[in-house]
Amino acid sequence: MAAMNNPSPGRLASVYSEVQTSRLHHALQLPSVLSSQFSLVDRPPSSATGNPDEIAKLFPNLFGQPSAALVPAKEAAVEGKPLKVGVVLSGGQAPGGHNVICGIFDFLQHWAKGSTMYGFKGGPAGVMKCKYVELNTDFVYPYRNQGGFDMICSGRDKIETPEQFKQAEDTANKLELDGLVVIGGDDSNTNACLIAEYFRSKNLKTRVIGCPKTIDGDLKCKEVPTSFGFDTACKIYSEMIGNVMTDARSSGKYYHFVRLMGRAASHITLECALQTHPNIALIGEEVAEKKQTLKNVTDYMTDIVCKRAELGYNYGVILIPEGLIDFVPEVQKLIAELNEILAHDTVDEAGVWKNKLEPESKKLFEFLPPSIQEQLLLERDSHGNVQVAKIETEKMLITMVETELEKRKAEGKYKGTFIGQSHFFGYEGRCGLPTNFDASYCYALGYGAGALLQSGKTGLISSVGNLAAPVSEWTVGGTALTSLMDVERRHGKFKPVIKKAMVELDGAPFKKFVSVRDEWGLKNRYISPGPIQFIGSGADGINHTLILELGVQA
Amino acid sequence: MAAMNNPSPGRLASVYSEVQTSRLHHALQLPSVLSSQFSLVDRPPSSATGNPDEIAKLFPNLFGQPSAALVPAKEAAVEGKPLKVGVVLSGGQAPGGHNVICGIFDFLQHWAKGSTMYGFKGGPAGVMKCKYVELNTDFVYPYRNQGGFDMICSGRDKIETPEQFKQAEDTANKLELDGLVVIGGDDSNTNACLIAEYFRSKNLKTRVIGCPKTIDGDLKCKEVPTSFGFDTACKIYSEMIGNVMTDARSSGKYYHFVRLMGRAASHITLECALQTHPNIALIGEEVAEKKQTLKNVTDYMTDIVCKRAELGYNYGVILIPEGLIDFVPEVQKLIAELNEILAHDTVDEAGVWKNKLEPESKKLFEFLPPSIQEQLLLERDSHGNVQVAKIETEKMLITMVETELEKRKAEGKYKGTFIGQSHFFGYEGRCGLPTNFDASYCYALGYGAGALLQSGKTGLISSVGNLAAPVSEWTVGGTALTSLMDVERRHGKFKPVIKKAMVELDGAPFKKFVSVRDEWGLKNRYISPGPIQFIGSGADGINHTLILELGVQA
């Protein structure tokens, strides 16, 4: 397919708000190591997070390669000859993605004059189909410090089959790519490493560098302290939560159940809790670790509602990660049994079919609100499986707490009033204007990725550290993607995976939360972070999770 | 009941975010007429918005009184002796309420030293039950420029019966009130005027002044250009809408249906549309004026979806006022018939009952998605009436557009894909930190209310004008509440009402919208206003509705 130079006018035709325009003019500072001559220093050889022998077999060319750090140098380590570099966005949107691209672009403009940069359109499919736009100064400019992924858009395809790897190879050859930067989450970075290995095995000159993206915050390790977008998304959600808290306290009559993004890990819920001090925040990892049942979770919430009613508070705010019920072991068991039963039997009106469930599963099923029971039985995906993801957890929990409260009221144990209001904050946070932190972090990630490519590196993920310090003191380098990997057994084969970083129950953010949550439960310690500010007070603050994990005093 | 001096620690025990703290320190500028000696000038005698003879009968003491304007004076017009003033918040929260209270407080501190101020707790019920807190500097301080109504909270009670007026009189006498400020919407200001009339008829010294509050923006007239809270709420919703738009454009696969607050009028939807440029925004007043049916509305939306699909856009953003279906005449008719039928007949499974509906109503009922049909039949309020307010309009419209698209697809007229995502932005906007505009506007409203009370005025609504100019040039005065009134016939009696200000189809904001909506429908002219900024670019801008209504060039 032919090059599509600026096929749509992109944002050039857009009208910008005053704030968007002011962000366009916001000057980005670089870590000082990137603002003058630098060279790369290799660290010791790396291993893998788990099963290094299997990882070594899967990545014969890349396994064991060292991570690299940029250090100041007297003169350029490599000749600044022009490069041809492609970039691709993979997976869901996260604030700051455009700045990663701007970082790569500016690096090439400054350190490799005459370079060409291609943006693959619509995610990895763009790489496979060689569908791209050539990026130039005019095209890139309107996206600086702006939210969204619409400069080149994203996609959820993966480069997996031998044919698809061949297509990627053809594209790399056709465009004579020196490098490809893959901006994505855990899966996309695993994929980036497989492509790097493949290109190396084919003796292609094309290097591949990953960048850590996901608002969920579950792609991180020692050298990659956070994924971009998490900071902005949590601050947007926290603004809304803070507003709802003030509303709850003002009207005094609602319990707001707020579901937040984060299916696999509960980092967003934990961070928003640390920012806003809700009465209750449920953390999936804790529910799983303690093998809690839905009844346990309901009782925990209901106990707090009852104690608050005694204190005269018939209102509150409760945060819930969207993946909560995936963490409840008994729910997993029920779902598995339901899938089995529904595949072979019919569901009779009288409910005789329920006797096919194991006793505990039957008990759980009957504990669920009727609307959820119905949803489990009726809404099936294309494989006929129950669709857990479609359950509106916040509404389910409202009904369950309501039912438990009615029981207690009948027993004379509760005299309050309870009105639940449900919220889901999701799409609102994925495409906001990046915070100053995400704007700078992404720019450094992209600029650093350019430096890694120029130095001939492949199979690394761009890593920027020392993030609690001023931007000028941030460290820049690359971490071997293989060092983040473990294997999973799928269809009788080992498959490499970057394990999602879960909320650690012995980590500083969760421990901080545990130390204060009882107080938050009964007393009203609500904080309203307010809208993200780009200048003035609070504009340069970073999120609590990062501060606590870095061990810096808040 | 005894005075409750600071019964709860209020916000003194609160932890503030950096932004909250910076807002606490934000210095509020006053209109210049309020910052030095002023006197009051009466305007000509007033009449009423409608049925002046009836209004004159209902308000024999107040009807016809002039509005008043503050003008600079060489020396104080009235002696600054100490006053006793009460304040009450009435109805739903709106950003800026605390600043109205701060404005009254500061006025008394400065111009009537030694005054006492009481905050009635929990709305008008606090007046009737004489439940109050004495406001002092320490108590008031933490609420400056903060969102919410939690300083004294609000309530939805009305002072209506003779006994209730007597209770209010007792409170006024007991506390020796010189004045009472009622902060509320159209109903509450009508109520304020009735209390003013009652107090005057009883020869009480207590004057009553209203303040225009509602995020819905439907309390306004020539002299009261806007109600407070509208500016902030619309900007919060527009931030979220802008983010969702960027997400829609980035992922390219969702139609976001966003329901916004505004049951009686569609000002919020119109303002958010002017701020963000959605593909579709439905305005209830237009639907009513054109006597559109739900089928018309569905076809209008579906046509745009189809045209966009032909242009390659299978995504979009649609704004919907929460009161939309109240504006559809045929729905009103159906509801009335349903209420009648459901009160007397049983609903048979086979649907024979439907024959009792008029033919058009039956057709409409069958046009509605099954889930909505069910909701109409099952969810009834305590009077047995169908609960239109509970219908999630955005979900209903998604289903209706889906159904119409399937039909067109079957006919070969549509080849796109359609996935609807529903949102409701409501509670998030009522308690945000007030914008610079709302903060200053509320402070001036409160300060001005103090000046009106000191000058012995009653039955006026505090009015601040010339709002497109810098704060120093704003005008300050009071408008006769009776001049805003008309009567409605209820239970065989005339009842005074301040008619809600609807979106005027020949008004500048709607005409502006009409002139651009076709372009917005097909082309993507999305604007992302971003988070409200308190300093820097865009921090001092006022909303489009106000700019257009004031006739100022944007």
Side-chain angles (χ1 to χ4, degrees):
Chain A
M1 193 182 281
M4 310 211 308
N5 275 306
N6 205 351
S8 73
R11 289 223 186 174
L12 291 171
S14 291
V15 189
Y16 271 23
S17 68
E18 283 190 67
V19 176
Q20 281 182 298
T21 304
S22 78
R23 294 308 288 165
L24 212 49
H25 300 138
H26 171 70
L28 289 163
Q29 202 194 343
L30 275 175
S32 62
V33 72
L34 286 174
S35 40
S36 54
Q37 299 289 0
F38 54 83
S39 65
L40 271 188
V41 175
D42 280 343
R43 299 190 183 282
S46 67
S47 179
T49 301
N51 293 296
D53 295 348
E54 297 302 330
I55 297 296
K57 280 186 232 164
L58 290 161
F59 297 93
N61 290 287
L62 295 183
F63 178 77
Q65 72 169 339
S67 296
L70 266 70
V71 293
K74 288 251 164 69
E75 55 190 52
V78 286
E79 201 190 331
K81 64 176 185 183
L83 298 172
K84 292 183 175 172
V85 173
V87 62
V88 63
L89 292 163
S90 183
Q93 287 90 284
H98 287 147
N99 273 24
V100 179
I101 301 176
C102 292
I104 306 167
F105 185 81
D106 287 1
F107 175 87
L108 295 174
Q109 293 276 306
H110 190 83
W111 295 102
K113 285 192 174 44
S115 289
T116 310
M117 190 167 162
Y118 303 105
F120 289 103
K121 291 174 70 90
V127 176
M128 294 187 274
K129 297 179 189 163
C130 199
K131 200 174 154 194
Y132 62 89
V133 56
E134 192 176 321
L135 303 179
N136 58 44
T137 305
D138 285 349
F139 188 85
V140 168
Y141 179 75
Y143 297 92
R144 289 186 184 265
N145 302 312
Q146 306 296 315
F149 272 10
D150 50 306
M151 186 204 284
I152 53 174
C153 293
S154 181
R156 295 190 182 273
D157 303 275
K158 265 191 237 174
I159 298 172
E160 284 182 308
T161 66
E163 295 72 33
Q164 290 172 326
F165 278 103
K166 183 67 175 57
Q167 288 177 321
E169 181 184 353
D170 290 346
T171 295
N173 281 327
K174 183 174 170 193
L175 298 180
E176 300 174 337
L177 290 185
D178 297 291
L180 173 66
V181 180
V182 177
I183 303 169
D186 51 331
D187 267 0
S188 307
N189 275 286
T190 303
N191 206 217
C193 195
L194 286 166
I195 301 165
E197 174 70 26
Y198 176 84
F199 284 175
R200 180 61 58 92
S201 75
K202 294 278 177 173
N203 280 319
L204 256 63
K205 66 169 179 173
T206 316
R207 285 88 75 183
V208 184
I209 300 292
C211 278
K213 173 231 70 171
T214 166
I215 63 163
D216 292 347
D218 55 10
L219 170 55
K220 59 183 170 186
C221 61
K222 194 166 176 300
E223 290 178 32
V224 181
T226 190
S227 57
F228 77 78
F230 176 74
D231 188 74
T232 306
C234 288
K235 284 173 180 164
I236 292 172
Y237 299 140
S238 294
E239 175 196 356
M240 295 300 119
I241 295 164
N243 288 357
V244 166
M245 283 171 164
T246 307
D247 204 277
R249 181 160 55 184
S250 296
S251 72
K253 60 183 177 188
Y254 297 121
Y255 267 93
H256 294 273
F257 284 61
V258 181
R259 175 166 49 118
L260 294 163
M261 281 211 163
R263 188 156 291 287
S266 306
H267 298 289
I268 291 178
T269 299
L270 180 56
E271 172 62 27
C272 290
L274 292 169
Q275 286 192 30
T276 64
H277 303 188
N279 301 109
I280 297 172
L282 301 173
I283 303 300
E285 289 83 341
E286 182 183 27
V287 169
E289 172 71 24
K290 296 189 175 167
K291 299 194 169 47
Q292 291 181 333
T293 62
L294 274 183
K295 176 83 174 82
N296 295 150
V297 173
T298 306
D299 284 345
Y300 169 69
M301 292 194 290
T302 312
D303 287 348
I304 292 178
V305 171
C306 288
K307 281 185 201 152
R308 287 179 61 78
E310 279 170 28
L311 296 169
Y313 304 136
N314 286 298
Y315 64 89
V317 176
I318 297 174
L319 308 187
I320 303 151
E322 67 172 338
L324 179 75
I325 55 178
D326 296 331
F327 285 100
V328 181
E330 59 168 1
V331 174
Q332 295 315 309
K333 193 163 167 297
L334 170 65
I335 301 297
E337 291 178 34
L338 280 177
N339 282 336
E340 195 61 30
I341 292 172
L342 295 172
H344 302 105
D345 300 289
T346 52
V347 168
D348 59 300
E349 285 267 340
V352 181
W353 68 271
K354 282 189 233 165
N355 294 325
K356 290 182 191 122
L357 292 168
E358 299 273 327
E360 318 84 79
S361 292
K362 189 179 170 197
K363 202 171 146 198
L364 170 61
F365 187 81
E366 287 172 343
F367 175 68
L368 294 173
S371 58
I372 304 292
Q373 291 178 357
E374 203 172 313
Q375 215 174 348
L376 287 176
L377 296 179
L378 296 181
E379 298 206 8
R380 244 76 73 66
D381 67 14
S382 53
H383 306 286
N385 287 328
V386 166
Q387 290 196 279
V388 189
K390 283 228 171 162
I391 293 176
E392 293 175 302
T393 317
E394 72 285 16
K395 291 187 181 172
M396 183 180 83
L397 292 176
I398 288 176
T399 311
M400 290 181 355
V401 169
E402 249 168 14
T403 309
E404 178 61 25
L405 284 172
E406 277 162 26
K407 206 181 101 197
R408 296 193 192 185
K409 188 162 258 181
E411 293 166 356
K413 292 179 189 159
Y414 167 68
K415 295 181 173 55
T417 58
F418 177 87
I419 307 172
Q421 293 284 358
S422 62
H423 305 263
F424 172 48
F425 298 149
Y427 296 96
E428 299 84 351
R430 307 195 315 175
C431 283
L433 290 161
T435 55
N436 284 342
F437 170 77
D438 267 329
S440 299
Y441 180 54
C442 288
Y443 192 63
L445 284 172
Y447 213 93
L452 295 172
L453 286 176
Q454 188 185 45
S455 307
K457 295 290 180 185
T458 191
L460 303 185
I461 184 168
S462 180
S463 38
V464 174
N466 198 27
L467 297 174
V471 175
S472 63
E473 297 168 30
W474 287 359
T475 60
V476 181
T479 301
L481 278 163
T482 47
S483 75
L484 306 184
M485 289 196 189
D486 196 342
V487 287
E488 273 182 9
R489 192 102 191 153
R490 287 189 204 159
H491 305 297
K493 276 188 188 168
F494 282 117
K495 244 185 94 104
V497 289
I498 296 176
K499 279 261 170 77
K500 282 186 196 295
M502 309 300 280
V503 170
E504 302 283 350
L505 300 193
D506 57 357
F510 185 74
K511 278 161 76 177
K512 169 78 185 171
F513 169 64
V514 168
S515 75
V516 283
R517 68 173 157 188
D518 290 343
E519 188 189 329
W520 295 353
L522 300 190
K523 296 177 183 169
N524 300 322
R525 295 288 184 250
Y526 303 151
I527 292 190
S528 183
I532 290 169
Q533 297 299 295
F534 296 116
I535 48 175
S537 267
D540 291 316
I542 58 175
N543 59 78
H544 294 248
T545 302
L546 190 49
I547 290 172
L548 290 163
E549 286 182 345
L550 293 174
V552 184
Q553 208 62 31
Chain B
M1 194 181 280
M4 310 211 310
N5 275 303
N6 205 350
S8 73
R11 291 223 185 172
L12 292 171
S14 291
V15 190
Y16 272 24
S17 68
E18 282 190 69
V19 175
Q20 281 181 299
T21 304
S22 78
R23 294 308 288 164
L24 212 49
H25 299 138
H26 172 68
L28 289 162
Q29 201 191 346
L30 275 174
S32 62
V33 71
L34 286 174
S35 40
S36 53
Q37 299 291 0
F38 54 84
S39 64
L40 271 188
V41 174
D42 280 344
R43 299 190 183 280
S46 68
S47 180
T49 301
N51 292 295
D53 296 347
E54 297 302 329
I55 297 296
K57 279 186 234 163
L58 288 162
F59 297 93
N61 290 287
L62 296 183
F63 179 77
Q65 70 169 340
S67 296
L70 267 67
V71 294
K74 287 252 165 64
E75 53 189 55
V78 287
E79 201 191 332
K81 63 176 186 183
L83 298 172
K84 291 183 175 172
V85 174
V87 62
V88 63
L89 293 162
S90 184
Q93 286 89 283
H98 287 146
N99 273 24
V100 179
I101 300 176
C102 293
I104 306 168
F105 185 81
D106 288 0
F107 174 86
L108 295 174
Q109 293 275 308
H110 190 82
W111 296 101
K113 285 194 176 40
S115 290
T116 309
M117 190 169 163
Y118 303 104
F120 290 103
K121 291 174 70 90
V127 176
M128 295 187 274
K129 296 179 188 162
C130 199
K131 201 175 155 191
Y132 62 88
V133 56
E134 192 176 322
L135 303 179
N136 58 45
T137 305
D138 286 349
F139 188 84
V140 169
Y141 179 74
Y143 297 92
R144 290 184 183 267
N145 302 311
Q146 306 296 315
F149 272 11
D150 50 306
M151 187 204 286
I152 52 174
C153 293
S154 181
R156 294 189 183 272
D157 302 275
K158 265 191 234 173
I159 298 173
E160 284 182 308
T161 66
E163 295 73 33
Q164 290 172 327
F165 278 103
K166 183 64 176 58
Q167 287 177 322
E169 182 184 353
D170 291 345
T171 294
N173 281 327
K174 185 176 170 190
L175 298 181
E176 299 174 336
L177 291 185
D178 297 293
L180 173 65
V181 180
V182 177
I183 303 169
D186 52 331
D187 267 359
S188 307
N189 275 285
T190 304
N191 207 218
C193 195
L194 286 165
I195 301 166
E197 174 70 26
Y198 177 83
F199 284 174
R200 180 61 57 94
S201 75
K202 294 280 176 172
N203 281 316
L204 255 62
K205 67 168 180 175
T206 316
R207 285 88 75 182
V208 184
I209 299 293
C211 277
K213 172 231 71 172
T214 165
I215 63 164
D216 292 348
D218 55 10
L219 170 56
K220 59 183 171 187
C221 62
K222 194 165 175 300
E223 291 179 30
V224 181
T226 189
S227 57
F228 77 77
F230 176 74
D231 189 75
T232 307
C234 288
K235 285 174 181 165
I236 292 173
Y237 298 141
S238 294
E239 175 196 357
M240 296 299 117
I241 295 164
N243 288 356
V244 165
M245 283 171 163
T246 308
D247 203 277
R249 180 159 58 183
S250 297
S251 73
K253 61 182 175 186
Y254 296 121
Y255 268 92
H256 295 273
F257 284 62
V258 181
R259 174 166 50 117
L260 293 164
M261 280 211 164
R263 187 156 293 286
S266 305
H267 298 290
I268 291 178
T269 298
L270 180 56
E271 172 62 28
C272 290
L274 292 168
Q275 287 192 30
T276 63
H277 304 188
N279 301 109
I280 297 172
L282 301 173
I283 303 299
E285 288 85 341
E286 182 183 28
V287 169
E289 172 72 24
K290 296 187 174 167
K291 296 195 171 47
Q292 291 181 333
T293 62
L294 274 183
K295 176 86 174 80
N296 295 151
V297 173
T298 305
D299 285 345
Y300 170 68
M301 293 194 289
T302 311
D303 287 349
I304 292 179
V305 170
C306 288
K307 281 185 201 153
R308 288 179 59 79
E310 279 169 29
L311 296 170
Y313 304 135
N314 287 299
Y315 63 88
V317 176
I318 298 174
L319 308 187
I320 303 150
E322 66 172 338
L324 179 74
I325 55 177
D326 296 331
F327 286 99
V328 181
E330 59 169 1
V331 173
Q332 294 315 309
K333 194 163 167 297
L334 169 65
I335 300 297
E337 290 178 33
L338 279 177
N339 282 336
E340 195 62 28
I341 292 171
L342 294 172
H344 301 105
D345 301 290
T346 52
V347 168
D348 57 300
E349 285 269 339
V352 180
W353 70 271
K354 281 188 235 167
N355 294 326
K356 291 184 189 121
L357 292 169
E358 299 274 326
E360 319 85 77
S361 293
K362 189 181 170 197
K363 203 171 145 197
L364 169 61
F365 187 81
E366 286 172 343
F367 175 68
L368 294 173
S371 59
I372 303 292
Q373 291 179 355
E374 202 172 312
Q375 215 174 347
L376 287 176
L377 296 180
L378 295 182
E379 298 208 6
R380 244 76 74 64
D381 68 13
S382 52
H383 305 288
N385 287 327
V386 167
Q387 291 196 277
V388 189
K390 284 228 170 162
I391 293 175
E392 292 175 305
T393 317
E394 72 284 17
K395 291 188 180 171
M396 182 180 83
L397 292 175
I398 288 175
T399 310
M400 288 176 4
V401 169
E402 249 168 15
T403 308
E404 178 62 25
L405 285 172
E406 277 161 27
K407 207 182 101 199
R408 296 193 191 184
K409 187 160 258 179
E411 293 166 356
K413 292 178 189 162
Y414 167 67
K415 294 182 174 55
T417 58
F418 177 86
I419 308 173
Q421 292 284 357
S422 63
H423 304 264
F424 171 48
F425 297 150
Y427 296 96
E428 298 84 351
R430 307 196 315 176
C431 282
L433 289 161
T435 56
N436 285 342
F437 170 77
D438 267 329
S440 298
Y441 180 54
C442 288
Y443 192 64
L445 284 173
Y447 213 93
L452 295 171
L453 285 176
Q454 190 185 46
S455 307
K457 294 290 179 184
T458 191
L460 304 184
I461 184 169
S462 181
S463 40
V464 174
N466 198 28
L467 297 174
V471 175
S472 63
E473 297 168 31
W474 287 359
T475 60
V476 182
T479 301
L481 277 164
T482 47
S483 77
L484 307 183
M485 289 196 189
D486 197 342
V487 288
E488 274 183 6
R489 192 98 190 156
R490 285 189 205 158
H491 306 296
K493 278 188 187 166
F494 282 118
K495 246 186 92 105
V497 289
I498 298 175
K499 280 261 170 78
K500 282 187 196 294
M502 308 301 282
V503 169
E504 301 284 348
L505 301 193
D506 57 359
F510 184 75
K511 277 161 77 177
K512 169 76 185 173
F513 169 64
V514 169
S515 74
V516 283
R517 68 173 158 189
D518 289 344
E519 187 188 328
W520 295 352
L522 300 188
K523 295 176 182 169
N524 299 322
R525 295 288 185 248
Y526 302 151
I527 290 192
S528 184
I532 290 169
Q533 297 298 295
F534 295 116
I535 49 175
S537 268
D540 291 315
I542 59 176
N543 59 79
H544 294 247
T545 302
L546 190 50
I547 290 171
L548 290 162
E549 286 183 344
L550 293 174
V552 184
Q553 207 64 31

